[in-house]
């Protein structure tokens, strides 16, 4: 079955360390997105990519970096510059022009 | 004021009750999504609407483009419907509401 795989489901890191969250899709979707979810807030867009080797900043990109070397993969790195990295991170993909979204199951990152 | 507002924020119901969750938005959109998030965190897309009404099982979603309003209805609610329901609008980059937490008790 096609879908989005995010790994790991839970991640613990020490303050000051960079950490990379994985997102892989086998839906042949062109666009991929990273969202952050905090308690009591709607999901907020971190980065998005509509085509391989190209990506754009979302609303809260500071302290994060991404790459899109393959259509299937859109990893997110949470750097030590992100002041409050503890959150739930969701990856999504869509077929541009169709608007149909598929979401991953998320990664809960805790920085101690 | 948020661009996407949901009401109510929290909702409790007895099994079998008819549930309505509302979503109002203030931006121009090409599509509105209703999403379901279970306690584990993963999100499932329930509906994508650009006009009219859609039905899937016990779930019904409607949208009024002129009034910038959408509703999600659950008929004959069941405890397994307990989740957070999220409204999101877009074209591609979605703007999300903060969600409605629904608890259905037996």
């Amino acid at each position: 079955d096609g879908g989005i795989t995010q790994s790991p489901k839970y991640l613990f890191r020490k303050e000051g360390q960079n950490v990379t969250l994985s997102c892989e899709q086998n839906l042949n979707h062109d666009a991929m997105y990273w969202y952050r979810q905090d308690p009591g807030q709607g999901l907020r867009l971190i980065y998005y990519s509509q085509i391989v080797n190209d990506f754009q900043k979302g609303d809260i990109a500071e302290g994060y970096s991404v790459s899109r070397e393959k259509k299937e993969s859109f990893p997110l790195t949470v750097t030590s510059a992100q002041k409050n990295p503890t959150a739930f991170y969701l990856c999504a993909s869509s077929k541009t022009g169709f608007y149909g979204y598929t979401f991953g199951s998320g990664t809960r990152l805790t920085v101690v | 004021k948020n661009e996407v507002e949901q009401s109510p924020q929290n909702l409790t119901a007895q099994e079998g009750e008819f549930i309505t969750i509302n979503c109002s938005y203030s931006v121009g959109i090409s599509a509105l999504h209703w999403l379901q998030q279970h306690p584990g965190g993963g999100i499932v897309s329930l509906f994508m609407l650009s006009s009219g009404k859609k039905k899937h099982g016990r779930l019904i979603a409607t949208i009024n483009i002129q009034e910038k309003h959408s509703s999600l209805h659950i008929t004959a609610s069941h405890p397994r419907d307990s989740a957070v329901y999220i409204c999101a609008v877009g074209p591609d980059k979605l703007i999300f509401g903060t969600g409605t937490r629904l608890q259905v008790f037996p």
Side-chain angles (χ1 to χ4, degrees):
Chain A
D1 282 340
I4 294 183
T5 301
Q6 285 189 247
S7 61
K9 192 170 177 65
Y10 298 96
L11 192 53
F12 294 88
R13 278 295 182 268
K14 289 185 178 179
E15 196 171 331
Q17 289 182 334
N18 291 355
V19 60
T20 297
L21 282 58
S22 169
C23 178
E24 305 274 335
Q25 55 99 359
N26 60 3
L27 300 162
N28 199 33
H29 281 174
D30 299 305
M32 297 187 73
Y33 312 82
W34 274 106
Y35 293 95
R36 170 181 171 140
Q37 187 177 41
D38 295 285
Q41 296 192 40
L43 278 76
R44 292 179 291 168
L45 181 64
I46 304 172
Y47 268 98
Y48 67 102
S49 167
Q50 294 180 308
I51 195 169
V52 174
N53 291 324
D54 188 44
F55 47 82
Q56 286 77 42
K57 292 182 179 180
D59 301 319
I60 54 165
E62 185 174 347
Y64 300 98
S65 65
V66 293
S67 63
R68 187 88 186 274
E69 297 176 3
K70 299 186 298 182
K71 188 174 185 177
E72 304 79 26
S73 179
F74 192 40
L76 173 74
T77 296
V78 185
T79 74
S80 56
Q82 167 50 233
K83 295 192 187 330
N84 188 16
T86 294
F88 187 65
Y89 291 89
L90 274 159
C91 178
S93 70
S94 69
K95 199 162 183 66
T96 304
F98 173 66
Y99 313 128
Y101 265 72
T102 300
F103 287 86
S105 56
T107 293
R108 191 166 297 280
L109 172 65
T110 302
V111 175
V112 295
Chain B
K1 190 176 181 350
N2 292 335
E3 293 169 302
V4 180
E5 297 272 1
Q6 285 185 239
S7 63
Q9 284 188 308
N10 295 285
L11 187 54
T12 58
Q14 288 295 124
E15 184 172 355
E17 284 185 9
F18 182 85
I19 303 290
T20 296
I21 299 170
N22 296 298
C23 175
S24 296
Y25 54 91
S26 57
V27 295
I29 69 168
S30 54
L32 181 143
H33 301 255
W34 280 105
L35 311 167
Q36 182 190 54
Q37 185 172 32
H38 278 281
I43 289 180
V44 173
S45 179
L46 298 174
F47 294 104
M48 183 186 68
L49 293 164
S50 54
S51 65
K53 177 179 173 178
K54 286 190 176 181
K55 184 176 189 293
H56 185 254
R58 295 180 295 106
L59 300 178
I60 302 166
T62 63
I63 188 168
N64 185 318
I65 297 292
Q66 286 73 30
E67 295 186 5
K68 295 190 173 181
H69 181 269
S70 175
S71 293
L72 176 68
H73 305 286
I74 305 175
T75 62
S77 58
H78 190 275
R80 66 174 173 266
D81 296 326
S82 298
V84 176
Y85 292 84
I86 300 171
C87 170
V89 301
D92 290 328
K93 293 181 291 172
L94 296 179
I95 304 171
F96 293 80
T98 54
T100 294
R101 185 174 300 277
L102 171 65
Q103 290 184 291
V104 182
F105 295 98

